[in-house]
Amino acid sequence: MATAPRWLSEEEQRTWRAYRQASTLLEDHLDRQLQRDAGMPHVYYGLLVQLGEAPGRHLRMTELARIAKITRSRLSHAVARLERNGWVRREDCPSDRRGQNAVLTDEGYAVLERTAPSHVSTVRQAMFDLLTPEQVGQLGEIMRVVAEGLQPSDANADLPWLR
């Protein structure tokens, strides 16, 4: 016998819809800024940031997919585009002959350095300038709780970035 769903209360429904609208608008806003200023979508910028922060400016492709929370197929497509731009290159992984590393090139690092100031300014204007310091702290805590609650503890979980 199936149990009845726990429907959202009016307040939960308002909160859920506000979250969906804000997250969609924010992602679109950031995507448009990066397309205009750097000719790349937000997800590609995120990949460059991860590589730029990694030791030696390189990561295994599987690790980059895990960090970016995207499928390996989508990552492969993104890296191919970034390679065509000269911003990333692939190298064989010395510790695993089947694996590959994505490496941020000097040109890619220069694009990141050139793009970061306007991107941070856009993030600040679109989000943090609208919030009080207390709200920033609350939002950070809320997002950490949600992320931790959604992160499976099972190493064999069926996650898109493991496919």
Side-chain angles (χ1 to χ4, degrees), residues 17 23 25 27 30 37 39 43 51 61-62 66-67 91 100 110-111 114 127-129 133-134 137 140 148 159-160:
R17 289 180 180 176
S23 63
L25 288 168
E27 187 62 32
L30 297 175
D37 294 353
V43 69
L51 290 171
M61 292 283 285
T62 52
R66 185 192 66 74
I67 292 168
E91 293 180 351
Q100 284 193 314
V111 167
R114 200 168 47 248
M127 186 169 179
F128 294 105
D129 288 349
E134 294 77 24
E148 288 171 11
L159 299 171

Side-chain angles (χ1 to χ4, degrees), residues 56-121:
R57 297 193 323 214
H58 75 275
L59 285 168
R60 283 199 53 162
M61 292 283 285
T62 52
E63 179 65 6
L64 187 53
R66 185 192 66 74
I67 292 168
K69 305 291 188 250
I70 60 176
T71 65
R72 292 184 218 179
S73 173
R74 184 172 181 203
L75 175 64
S76 184
H77 176 77
V79 168
R81 166 121 182 258
L82 294 170
E83 281 180 303
R84 285 193 299 277
N85 291 347
W87 301 344
V88 171
R89 72 175 180 276
R90 291 181 220 217
E91 293 180 351
D92 291 334
C93 180
S95 63
D96 178 1
R97 296 187 342 161
R98 296 176 301 153
Q100 284 193 314
N101 291 328
V103 180
L104 183 65
T105 65
D106 290 342
E107 186 178 345
Y109 192 76
V111 167
L112 194 55
E113 283 186 314
R114 200 168 47 248
T115 306
S118 63
H119 182 64
V120 169
S121 185

Side-chain angles (χ1 to χ4, degrees), residues 38-60:
M40 74 176 106
H42 192 216
V43 69
Y44 290 14
Y45 178 81
L47 297 173
L48 295 181
V49 167
Q50 291 302 321
L51 290 171
E53 292 176 347
R57 297 193 323 214
H58 75 275
L59 285 168
R60 283 199 53 162

Side-chain angles (χ1 to χ4, degrees), residues 123-139:
V123 168
R124 178 167 298 291
Q125 167 268 324
M127 186 169 179
F128 294 105
D129 288 349
L130 303 174
L131 303 175
T132 66
E134 294 77 24
Q135 289 171 321
V136 170
Q138 291 166 348
L139 181 60

